[in-house]
Amino acid sequence: MVAGGLVPVVELAGRAVAGGLGADPVAFLLNRLGLLALVFLVAGLCCTPLRLLFEVTWPARLTRALGLLGFGYAAAHVGFYLAVDQGLDLAATWKDVTERPFITAGAAAFL
């Protein structure tokens, strides 16, 4: 399960090596990591309703792995944003968080 969840990392690394990240590679990686985090977190949250609705047990066994993968991608998204996009400049990061509502929402969700 976890190995399958790490396939997007290999795909992103392959694109980076081949120069296939587009005109703005930082934005591409930030968007992709954020989307992957969202997909894995929502998939993890869907396991219990699937189990209850269809009365099968296998989705419950996936919940932890999907949640951890989602958190891993969210942490990579935040880390990439802080290190690469903002250059670890806390003043610029704070300004960005306070001025842009979607970044405020994302920071609150991560915390």
Side-chain angles (χ1 to χ4, degrees):
M1 172 65 200
V2 175
L6 296 177
V7 168
V9 172
V10 175
E11 188 259 337
L12 289 174
R15 280 181 176 242
V17 169
L21 295 179
D24 190 359
V26 173
F28 179 83
L29 287 172
L30 278 172
N31 290 335
R32 184 63 57 97
L33 290 171
L35 180 63
L36 286 166
L38 182 63
V39 165
F40 279 111
L41 289 173
V42 169
L45 290 172
C46 288
C47 288
T48 300
L50 282 174
R51 182 178 59 83
L52 296 173
L53 186 63
F54 295 110
E55 297 180 358
V56 292
T57 60
W58 64 267
R61 293 190 297 263
L62 303 176
T63 304
R64 178 178 288 163
L66 290 170
L68 289 173
L69 283 165
F71 176 75
Y73 281 113
H77 175 74
V78 170
F80 192 78
Y81 168 74
L82 290 173
V84 177
D85 193 38
Q86 296 298 316
L88 297 176
D89 183 1
L90 294 180
T93 302
W94 179 253
K95 182 180 178 193
D96 212 20
V97 168
T98 56
E99 290 181 357
R100 297 166 75 184
F102 65 95
I103 295 180
T104 305
F110 184 74
L111 292 175

